[in-house]
């Protein structure tokens, strides 16, 4: 019985640390870095991940410890190489001494392009209960959603690894 209680507590704690609900991801964690170090490392992470950091940063408040990034995911697939979906999302980085938080939300289909006359916008959805969309079958639509989820999940996981590594600030 005691083992079951411990497992349930561990699951609840892990859900609070990293939750994904309706295309919203959030992770909060402690780290042995100052707010300034976390801020600097976060700016370096943004510069490494997004092609043009200046164009994606929407809000940058060093004093408050907030950085907001607007990202775009381009979804190309082998089943229809002439159809491309573009998904926008917001990433919010918050930091203070010894703590950081990353949040991804506002995921939506910005646009699509392609030769298919029956193509329609595919808004993010959860689960398998979705209607057939345009000329695509369920498997194809699910592949698009899985690619989007993987991209957003990788941002969380990659940032977590990056921020926990030693700072790259050189003393020269």
């Amino acid at each position: 019985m005691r083992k079951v209680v411990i497992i349930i507590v561990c699951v609840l704690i892990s859900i609070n640390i990293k939750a994904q609900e309706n295309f919203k991801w959030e992770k909060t964690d402690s780290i042995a870095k100052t707010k300034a170090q976390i801020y600097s490392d976060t700016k370096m992470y943004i510069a490494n991940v997004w092609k043009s950091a200046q164009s994606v940063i929407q809000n940058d408040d060093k004093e408050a410890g907030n950085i907001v990034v607007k990202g775009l995911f381009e979804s190309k697939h082998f089943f229809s190489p002439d159809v491309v979906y573009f998904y926008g999302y917001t990433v919010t980085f918050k930091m203070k001494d010894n703590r950081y938080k990353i949040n991804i939300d506002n995921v939506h289909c910005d646009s699509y392009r392609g030769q298919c006359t029956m193509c329609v916008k595919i808004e993010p959805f959860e689960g398998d209960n979705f209607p057939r969309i345009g000329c695509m079958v369920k498997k194809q639509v699910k592949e698009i959603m899985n690619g989007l989820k993987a991209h957003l999940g990788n941002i969380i996981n990659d940032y977590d690894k990056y921020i926990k590594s030693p700072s790259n600030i050189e003393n020269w």
Side-chain angles (χ1 to χ4, degrees), residues 11-23:
V11 168
L12 291 174
I13 290 171
S14 67
I15 289 171
N16 286 333
I17 291 174
K18 182 180 176 187
Q20 184 250 323
E21 179 183 309
N22 295 325
F23 282 82

Side-chain angles (χ1 to χ4, degrees), residues 112-169:
Y112 64 94
R113 70 169 188 250
Q115 304 300 321
C116 177
T117 57
M118 295 178 63
C119 288
V120 295
K121 270 188 172 182
I122 303 174
E123 290 299 336
F125 61 85
E126 291 291 332
D128 290 328
N129 298 326
F130 55 89
R132 184 179 164 140
I133 299 174
C135 57
M136 288 190 237
V137 296
K138 245 182 184 182
K139 181 180 177 184
Q140 294 168 331
V141 176
K142 194 171 184 177
E143 184 180 319
I144 291 171
M145 290 302 110
N146 288 340
L148 179 59
K149 286 179 186 180
H151 173 74
L152 299 174
N154 285 340
I155 291 172
I156 296 284
N157 293 333
D158 293 347
Y159 177 72
D160 184 58
K161 289 177 191 168
Y162 189 90
I163 205 71
K164 287 181 178 176
S165 66
S167 291
N168 294 327
I169 301 169

